[in-house]
Amino acid sequence: MQRWQEREARKARLKLVEQFPLVFFPKGSLKRPLKIGIMVDLFGRAKRMSPAEIRWAVADYCAGPSYRVGFIVGATRIDLDGHPAGFVTEEEAAHAQ
């Protein structure tokens, strides 16, 4: 990602934190695994965000160690409303490490 994309990703991520506070947390906070397919949900529900902004924001959110640390076998994934939406599998947990 180029610098301008990183800046835009951070701005877009803040929009997700504002719109979905039960799901997206500020940079540096511990995070919970997201539902598989959450981007499709975001394309339909995120306000004032382009598909590119959504992709950049989710990529930025999931890239750091504070997201991967939550990837343990059986950890609950969450949807856009903060509700349970599946579990982390053994394969996903191994891939995250």
Side-chain angles (χ1 to χ4, degrees):
M1 208 182 271
Q2 295 181 358
R3 281 205 188 256
W4 68 270
Q5 289 172 316
E6 289 175 7
R7 282 191 305 272
E8 293 304 311
R10 283 190 209 104
K11 285 187 219 173
R13 179 178 171 168
L14 289 176
K15 290 180 185 180
L16 291 182
V17 170
E18 291 170 4
Q19 292 182 54
F20 305 100
L22 298 175
V23 182
F24 293 97
F25 304 101
K27 199 160 194 79
S29 301
L30 289 179
K31 300 165 186 89
R32 295 170 61 194
L34 300 174
K35 169 189 167 189
I36 293 175
I38 202 161
M39 293 239 295
V40 173
D41 299 342
L42 284 167
F43 292 148
R45 290 184 50 190
K47 296 178 178 124
R48 302 172 314 279
M49 294 182 76
S50 70
E53 286 178 303
I54 291 169
R55 284 190 294 273
W56 290 341
V58 172
D60 182 62
Y61 191 82
C62 296
S66 58
Y67 182 74
R68 290 190 306 271
V69 78
F71 263 78
I72 57 173
V73 176
T76 303
R77 291 177 171 278
I78 54 173
D79 68 11
L80 289 180
D81 299 309
H83 298 131
F87 300 95
V88 174
T89 66
E90 191 172 325
E91 183 179 325
E92 292 165 340
H95 181 72
Q97 303 309 317

